[in-house]
Amino acid sequence: MADPVVASHLSLVLKAPPTISSPSQFLLQQHSKPMASSLNSAASLRLFASSSSSSSSAAARLSLRSTSLSFSSSLKSLAFSTLSRHKRGSAVSVSSTGGFSSVASPKCAASDPDQLKSAREDIKELLKSKFCHPILVRLGWHDAGTYNKNIEEWPRRGGANGSLRFEVELKHAANAGLVNALNLLQHIKDKYSGVTYADLFQLASATAIEEAGGPKIPMKYGRVDVSGPNECPEEGRLPAAGPPSPADHLREVFYRMGLNDKEIVALSGAHTLGRSRPDRSGWGKPETKYTKDGPGAPGGQSWTVQWLKFDNSYFKDIKAKRDEDLLVLPTDAVLFEDPSFKVYAEKYAEDQETFFKDYAEAHAKLSNLGAKFNPPEGIVLDDGPR
């Protein structure tokens, strides 16, 4: 859900990590070198892009307090899954090849409010240093955007349940590159074991919007994590960037989630954040005057001039159509072509306050799709207005 609703219609190529001879070598490298790959994707996004392995375990089982890392035998992608600590401690299996098997978060584990607040502060610091607002928004949207309102059973219905931490779902074409978002957040998950992955993903997404200058999102927490990769949704539930009939495609995907035309257009406005890279997605220019100097890794093509600032520039720029250095995908352009979409797009281009109000409501709705809350009413962080 790029940039949200249409959210990322871009397929970013998920590059294989370098060969690691042992888990200890991997951990050493993670702590000793800059996260270049994370930064390369941090500012590249399409909130919703187009579109498990397991290894035999060794006899030894180790009780660890740190991160559980899961490698596929081909090393095509990397997913992080944290070991629960303290009261939720568990074991990790070390394979004969030196990799780790995934350890799932326990079911029915509501997040701790104090840890949520502390995690949010750590996310703010991460955003200041890594400029990773776009990819964190995309992470939350892709976890929630698999929801199917026609399926009642949890977690088969998809939605915000933390399933995106598993390799089988990370390998979906629409999620290419999101392993970098997991890399960025993993130390926060390690630090706050009382926060579920499902909540962490949505917390990071909402915080990124707010810290980029967007509206305060009326969030609630307490989402329960799925327990294993067998509970991940099938591939193909997220939108594409250039379908033959963009308007029909957007409605097919987002109506399935229970969203309407106003929410589709409002969420599309999050494309004000981020940029695309043709070598990863097939869309956009290698670089423009707005992206050649970063921040983060330089290059790519953005939808707006200030692509780390959340405002209504996305709608203004699409309407103006006067800057060839700004990206407009078929699913962007259709917002001013379809009669129903156009009503909202025109309004948002003229009235940022209305856009912010509608966006905040739509983002909060999206973040709750398919989630199972414990307690059922959810947890609202009592921190007052921003």
Side-chain angles (χ1 to χ4, degrees):
M1 327 152 193
D3 329 5
V5 130
V6 182
S8 255
H9 310 304
L10 301 181
S11 300
L12 304 178
V13 175
L14 181 56
K15 298 181 179 179
T19 302
I20 304 297
S21 60
S22 68
S24 59
Q25 179 189 345
F26 170 79
L27 292 173
L28 179 60
Q29 289 187 13
Q30 289 295 300
H31 289 288
S32 63
K33 67 180 183 180
M35 298 178 64
S37 62
S38 297
L39 285 177
N40 286 341
S41 291
S44 298
L45 91 61
R46 194 59 179 171
L47 297 181
F48 282 132
S50 62
S51 249
S52 148
S53 66
S54 62
S55 55
S56 57
S57 50
R61 296 183 63 86
L62 306 176
S63 293
L64 301 179
R65 294 184 60 203
S66 82
T67 309
S68 170
L69 306 175
S70 174
F71 284 97
S72 67
S73 59
S74 61
L75 289 179
K76 288 183 178 177
S77 62
L78 171 65
F80 283 80
S81 179
T82 308
L83 290 178
S84 298
R85 297 177 294 180
H86 308 303
K87 294 182 180 179
R88 297 205 298 251
S90 59
V92 60
S93 297
V94 183
S95 74
S96 58
T97 59
F100 290 87
S101 64
S102 296
V103 175
S105 293
K107 287 187 176 182
C108 300
S111 294
D112 178 85
D114 290 334
Q115 290 197 26
L116 281 165
K117 291 180 181 180
S118 296
R120 181 172 56 193
E121 295 307 308
D122 285 9
I123 290 169
K124 290 179 181 179
E125 293 304 312
L126 178 69
L127 291 166
K128 291 176 184 177
S129 63
K130 301 297 185 182
F131 310 107
C132 54
H133 305 66
I135 201 171
L136 294 188
V137 175
R138 182 177 169 226
L139 178 69
W141 285 42
H142 279 223
D143 196 47
T146 59
Y147 176 64
N148 187 338
K149 69 178 183 180
N150 300 312
I151 301 175
E152 294 185 7
E153 180 187 354
W154 184 92
R156 196 168 64 87
R157 65 194 182 206
N161 57 29
S163 63
L164 189 48
R165 73 190 189 275
F166 290 111
E167 183 181 24
V168 63
E169 190 169 344
L170 279 171
K171 290 170 69 175
H172 292 178
N175 296 326
L178 282 178
V179 65
N180 294 306
L182 290 173
N183 287 347
L184 287 164
L185 289 176
Q186 191 58 47
H187 73 282
I188 298 177
K189 181 67 176 78
D190 293 344
K191 186 176 179 181
Y192 303 108
S193 62
V195 175
T196 62
Y197 278 98
D199 272 350
L200 182 62
F201 295 166
Q202 300 309 321
L203 176 66
S205 181
T207 302
I209 293 292
E210 294 170 8
E211 291 299 295
K216 179 74 176 178
I217 312 295
M219 298 290 289
K220 67 177 182 178
Y221 299 95
R223 295 169 187 80
V224 176
D225 280 339
V226 296
S227 61
N230 60 306
E231 295 178 316
C232 291
E234 73 279 4
E235 187 167 7
R237 294 192 185 187
L238 298 175
S245 179
D248 290 343
H249 177 71
L250 289 177
R251 290 192 172 98
E252 177 184 358
V253 172
F254 291 100
Y255 283 11
R256 187 209 69 218
M257 298 182 205
L259 300 172
N260 58 34
D261 285 1
K262 181 176 79 170
E263 291 160 338
I264 290 174
V265 179
L267 289 171
S268 293
H271 291 162
T272 191
L273 298 178
R275 49 192 170 158
S276 68
R277 298 175 183 275
D279 57 322
R280 300 174 186 174
S281 67
W283 296 93
K285 298 179 179 180
E287 74 171 24
T288 70
K289 60 179 175 285
Y290 304 122
T291 65
K292 62 185 179 66
D293 297 320
Q301 185 175 14
S302 58
W303 287 264
T304 61
V305 175
Q306 293 181 286
W307 45 271
L308 287 177
K309 179 182 179 181
F310 193 95
D311 57 20
N312 67 338
S313 295
Y314 169 77
F315 298 106
K316 291 181 176 180
D317 292 335
I318 294 176
K319 184 178 180 179
K321 297 180 179 178
R322 57 172 176 249
D323 194 333
E324 293 184 355
D325 271 345
L326 297 180
L327 180 65
V328 179
L329 296 175
T331 42
D332 300 319
V334 76
L335 301 182
F336 282 91
E337 298 167 353
D338 179 87
S340 178
F341 289 159
K342 185 176 180 179
V343 171
Y344 302 107
E346 292 277 5
K347 181 188 298 183
Y348 298 153
E350 299 299 324
D351 187 348
Q352 180 169 283
E353 184 177 351
T354 297
F355 166 53
F356 273 28
K357 176 181 178 294
D358 291 351
Y359 178 83
E361 293 173 356
H363 185 125
K365 180 177 179 178
L366 174 66
S367 75
N368 294 336
L369 295 181
K372 179 167 71 173
F373 287 90
N374 181 15
E377 67 275 14
I379 301 167
V380 176
L381 300 184
D382 184 18
D383 53 359
R386 190 175 57 168

